[in-house]
Amino acid sequence: MELTIDRLTKQFGPKIAVDRVSARLAPGVHGLLGANGAGKTTLMRMVCDVLRPTSGEVRFDGRDVRALGGAYRVHLGYLPQDFGYYPDFTALDFMRYLGALKGLGRRVARSRSLELLEAVGLADVANAKVRTFSGGMKQRLGIAQAVINDPAVLVLDEPTAGLDPKERVRFRNLIASFAQDKVVILSTHIVSDVECVADDILVMRDGAFLMQGTPADVVARAAGKVWECHVDVQGADKLAAGNCVSNVHYAADGHAVVRVVADEPPTADARPLEPTLEDVYLYVFRDEARDDAPSWRM
């Protein structure tokens, strides 16, 4: 099984939201990492055949998804960034309704709904109305409905928005269990979510893929660009003003240890550090407006 994105482009008037992106996605978790406005949601909507591309195509096992139509959507699970709910439905009724829309029989839909509500920690409120749910509970319900048809392609657009740290850990464990034989696309700007579960990472900026690879491959691109600097408080403020600072630790003696992401050592005694995925993110998106921002296109 393979999902192919081939020179996919979407233009809204003069603005190019997605610019000729291509990728071949095998089963596993593919983290789509980028800042707000990078084009992630537009790309996801085209992958889900919700939005028609200006040019290019998405292929599922070699066939254009637009030509497949309903035959593709049978294999698709989707949690959009802004997911709508029927507030007077109970969680169980909502899941059964989505199961019916996906073509599941009544018994299968009920059984699958109960199973998934248990998996996302909503079994005890299965008969409560959705309008009584917190934002995090609604998000967990959205994750459950996305996999009710046991999809081959699972697309999750900012799925951990509104979840607390404990719920995000639960989500990551769910994704790991769902991804054994599925193409999972996880679109987010939360670096830790991608770092924990992704087999493959695509970094997107200004509608294009800057890089693609395993987490280790992507992190290696920031080698030699992360530094530890020992300075006084005024020095820490100066570093923060002119560089990308990921962490500052202030000591009791008035000095500070600063982690800086920069092309060159920011101080004479700067010590090189091993980079992390967060360092890569900070470097790539350090200043969206600068003309000299790094060009790491594949």
Side-chain angles (χ1 to χ4, degrees), residues 63-245:
R63 298 184 61 187
D64 188 340
V65 300
R66 289 179 56 197
L68 286 170
Y72 171 61
R73 286 186 286 276
V74 166
H75 299 287
L76 179 67
Y78 180 35
L79 176 61
Q81 189 171 1
D82 298 310
F83 187 75
Y85 300 86
Y86 293 102
D88 288 324
F89 276 33
T90 67
L92 179 57
D93 286 343
F94 180 77
M95 289 291 293
R96 291 171 60 195
Y97 172 69
L98 268 295
L101 292 181
K102 290 289 187 178
L104 302 183
R106 182 175 297 180
R107 289 185 179 180
V108 174
R110 178 179 173 80
S111 174
R112 181 74 173 155
S113 296
L114 291 171
E115 174 189 340
L116 289 169
L117 289 173
E118 176 71 32
V120 299
L122 295 176
D124 59 337
V125 290
N127 294 309
K129 292 188 176 182
V130 177
R131 60 179 165 81
T132 67
F133 284 9
S134 67
M137 293 167 70
K138 291 177 181 176
Q139 197 71 357
R140 281 187 271 154
L141 182 61
I143 294 168
Q145 66 79 32
V147 296
I148 193 167
N149 59 323
D150 193 22
V153 177
L154 177 59
V155 178
L156 304 168
D157 192 357
E158 301 289 353
T160 57
L163 300 186
D164 64 31
K166 182 178 178 180
E167 290 173 323
R168 283 173 52 203
V169 171
R170 182 201 298 269
F171 159 78
R172 293 198 296 258
N173 292 335
L174 282 171
I175 292 304
S177 67
F178 292 150
Q180 300 300 316
D181 57 352
K182 296 174 173 57
V183 175
V184 179
I185 304 175
L186 169 61
S187 170
T188 185
H189 62 275
I190 301 175
V191 175
S192 59
D193 288 342
V194 173
E195 196 165 27
C196 289
V197 300
D199 304 297
D200 176 64
I201 295 174
L202 300 103
V203 180
M204 192 171 190
R205 174 176 171 153
D206 296 331
F209 291 154
L210 300 182
M211 62 184 83
Q212 178 181 4
T214 66
D217 291 339
V218 172
V219 168
R221 303 292 290 272
K225 301 181 187 299
V226 185
W227 313 91
E228 181 180 273
C229 304
H230 293 255
V231 295
D232 57 23
V233 173
Q234 290 75 22
D237 292 340
K238 184 177 179 181
L239 284 174
N243 298 277
C244 183
V245 172

